[in-house]
Short mmCIF file of all heavy atoms in Angstrom, two decimals:
data_model
loop_
_atom_site.label_atom_id
_atom_site.label_comp_id
_atom_site.label_asym_id
_atom_site.label_seq_id
_atom_site.Cartn_x
_atom_site.Cartn_y
_atom_site.Cartn_z
N GLN A 25 33.20 79.73 43.71
CA GLN A 25 33.78 80.04 42.46
C GLN A 25 32.64 79.95 41.41
O GLN A 25 31.64 79.37 41.66
CB GLN A 25 34.82 78.96 42.13
CG GLN A 25 36.05 79.03 43.01
CD GLN A 25 37.07 77.99 42.58
OE1 GLN A 25 36.95 77.23 41.61
NE2 GLN A 25 38.09 77.81 43.48
N THR A 45 30.17 78.44 27.48
CA THR A 45 29.73 78.65 28.92
C THR A 45 29.60 80.16 29.10
O THR A 45 30.47 80.96 28.82
CB THR A 45 30.74 78.05 29.94
OG1 THR A 45 30.86 76.61 29.63
CG2 THR A 45 30.23 78.23 31.39
N TYR A 123 7.39 29.46 -2.39
CA TYR A 123 8.55 30.01 -1.79
C TYR A 123 8.12 31.11 -0.73
O TYR A 123 7.33 31.99 -1.10
CB TYR A 123 9.61 30.67 -2.71
CG TYR A 123 10.89 30.86 -2.16
CD1 TYR A 123 11.71 29.83 -1.84
CD2 TYR A 123 11.35 32.19 -2.01
CE1 TYR A 123 12.97 30.05 -1.22
CE2 TYR A 123 12.68 32.44 -1.40
CZ TYR A 123 13.47 31.38 -1.03
OH TYR A 123 14.71 31.56 -0.55
N ASP A 196 7.95 55.28 1.78
CA ASP A 196 8.31 56.56 1.29
C ASP A 196 8.99 56.48 -0.14
O ASP A 196 9.54 57.51 -0.69
CB ASP A 196 9.24 57.31 2.18
CG ASP A 196 8.46 57.85 3.48
OD1 ASP A 196 7.27 57.98 3.25
OD2 ASP A 196 9.11 57.88 4.51
N GLY A 235 12.65 -11.90 -43.37
CA GLY A 235 13.67 -11.19 -42.56
C GLY A 235 14.20 -9.94 -43.04
O GLY A 235 14.93 -9.21 -42.44
N VAL A 323 1.46 2.95 -41.40
CA VAL A 323 2.54 2.57 -42.20
C VAL A 323 1.97 1.94 -43.52
O VAL A 323 1.07 1.00 -43.38
CB VAL A 323 3.46 1.51 -41.48
CG1 VAL A 323 4.63 1.09 -42.41
CG2 VAL A 323 4.04 2.13 -40.22
N SER A 339 -5.45 -21.37 -73.54
CA SER A 339 -5.67 -22.54 -74.29
C SER A 339 -4.49 -22.72 -75.23
O SER A 339 -3.93 -21.78 -75.72
CB SER A 339 -7.02 -22.54 -75.10
OG SER A 339 -7.26 -23.66 -75.86
N ALA A 461 -15.93 21.81 -25.58
CA ALA A 461 -14.98 21.60 -26.70
C ALA A 461 -15.68 20.79 -27.76
O ALA A 461 -16.58 20.02 -27.40
CB ALA A 461 -13.65 21.00 -26.28
N ILE A 571 9.82 41.32 19.00
CA ILE A 571 8.73 42.19 18.58
C ILE A 571 9.26 43.58 18.29
O ILE A 571 10.17 44.09 18.96
CB ILE A 571 7.58 42.30 19.63
CG1 ILE A 571 6.44 42.97 19.04
CG2 ILE A 571 8.03 42.98 20.91
CD1 ILE A 571 5.07 42.92 19.91
N ASP A 590 6.55 21.38 24.15
CA ASP A 590 5.83 20.74 25.19
C ASP A 590 4.56 20.09 24.62
O ASP A 590 3.75 20.83 24.08
CB ASP A 590 5.51 21.74 26.29
CG ASP A 590 4.87 20.99 27.59
OD1 ASP A 590 4.33 19.96 27.49
OD2 ASP A 590 4.97 21.70 28.62
N PRO A 609 3.11 58.28 35.47
CA PRO A 609 3.49 56.85 35.44
C PRO A 609 3.14 56.19 34.14
O PRO A 609 2.20 56.58 33.46
CB PRO A 609 2.72 56.31 36.68
CG PRO A 609 1.47 57.07 36.71
CD PRO A 609 1.79 58.52 36.37
N ASP A 623 3.63 20.99 11.77
CA ASP A 623 4.72 20.11 11.62
C ASP A 623 5.06 19.96 10.22
O ASP A 623 4.29 20.03 9.28
CB ASP A 623 4.29 18.72 12.17
CG ASP A 623 5.49 17.73 12.28
OD1 ASP A 623 6.58 18.21 12.33
OD2 ASP A 623 5.19 16.45 12.38
N GLU A 646 9.66 -17.67 7.19
CA GLU A 646 9.95 -16.25 6.87
C GLU A 646 9.16 -15.32 7.76
O GLU A 646 8.14 -15.68 8.37
CB GLU A 646 9.59 -15.98 5.41
CG GLU A 646 10.40 -16.79 4.44
CD GLU A 646 9.97 -16.51 2.97
OE1 GLU A 646 9.01 -15.68 2.80
OE2 GLU A 646 10.54 -17.11 2.06
#
Side-chain angles (χ1 to χ4, degrees):
Q25 297 180 9
T45 304
Y123 195 68
D196 288 331
V323 179
S339 176
I571 189 169
D590 187 335
D623 191 19
E646 297 178 359

